[in-house]
């Protein structure tokens, strides 16, 4: 990482991100704006005297993920969401409840959010190989227009699923009556 580049992790809601896209800036305020941002700062570097840059980025990312979880719980308290968790615990309710008795998740997880694209690809291919369910994805988030990426190994079902998702996103983005 170069000295003139700082990656900032900002927990935000979709409406806040829409405002950012519209105006090109974020206003940090008490009226619904973000309450915190996370980055590798001189203070963090000092606190983690032994840490390398990648480790420090992970700390900032983790803190932002925890803040995003708090934000999600505040805006949607009825959702069954958990924070960081080993993948095996996401699918093993009995063990999860022994280790985390306060877990809000009931049964098995139906959505996993991965820290990197590499981790997501590994997990997706493992699930495809051992599971008998239908996978949908990868789903591209944040594009200005509905668009998704298909891998060369995509099967007909995957192409149909992703096409349907893109159509629904396009319809949702189209103003009523047009």
């Amino acid at each position: 990482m170069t000295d003139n580049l700082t990656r900032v992790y900002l927990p935000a809601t979709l409406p806040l991100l829409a405002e950012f896209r519209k105006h090109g800036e974020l206003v940090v305020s008490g009226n619904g704006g973000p309450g915190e941002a996370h980055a590798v700062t001189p203070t963090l570097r000092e606190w983690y005297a032994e840490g390398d840059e990648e480790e420090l980025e992970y700390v900032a990312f983790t803190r932002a993920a925890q803040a995003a979880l708090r934000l999600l719980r505040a805006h949607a308290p009825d959702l069954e969401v958990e924070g960081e968790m080993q993948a095996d615990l996401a699918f093993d309710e009995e063990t999860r409840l022994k280790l985390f008795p306060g877990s809000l998740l009931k049964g098995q997880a139906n959505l996993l959010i991965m820290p990197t694209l590499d981790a997501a690809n590994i997990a997706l291919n493992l699930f495809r190989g051992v599971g008998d369910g239908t996978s949908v994805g990868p789903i591209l988030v944040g594009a200005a227009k509905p668009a998704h990426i298909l891998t060369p190994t995509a099967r007909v079902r995957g192409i149909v699923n992703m096409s349907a998702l893109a159509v629904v996103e396009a319809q949702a983005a189209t103003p009523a009556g047009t």
Side-chain angles (χ1 to χ4, degrees), residues 4 44 74 86 121 142 178:
N4 62 356
L44 186 61
Q86 299 269 339
N121 282 326
T178 57

Side-chain angles (χ1 to χ4, degrees), residues 44-120:
L44 186 61
R45 281 190 181 90
E46 202 173 284
W47 195 54
Y48 276 79
E50 301 288 324
D52 62 22
E53 201 67 22
E54 189 174 317
E55 246 180 276
L56 295 174
E57 283 290 334
Y58 179 76
V59 170
F61 176 79
T62 300
R63 288 181 179 173
Q66 291 164 345
L69 180 62
R70 290 190 299 275
L71 186 63
L72 178 60
R73 284 182 173 155
H75 286 291
D78 295 335
L79 284 179
E80 287 182 27
V81 260
E82 286 295 344
E84 300 169 69
M85 178 182 300
Q86 299 269 339
D88 57 339
L89 294 180
F91 297 105
D92 183 350
E93 183 177 26
E94 183 180 338
T95 305
R96 182 178 60 250
L97 291 176
K98 284 180 188 171
L99 295 173
F100 302 105
S103 176
L104 302 175
L105 182 60
K106 306 290 185 267
Q108 294 183 340
N110 61 9
L111 174 67
L112 300 176
I113 298 175
M114 301 292 168
T116 66
L117 182 58
D118 287 338

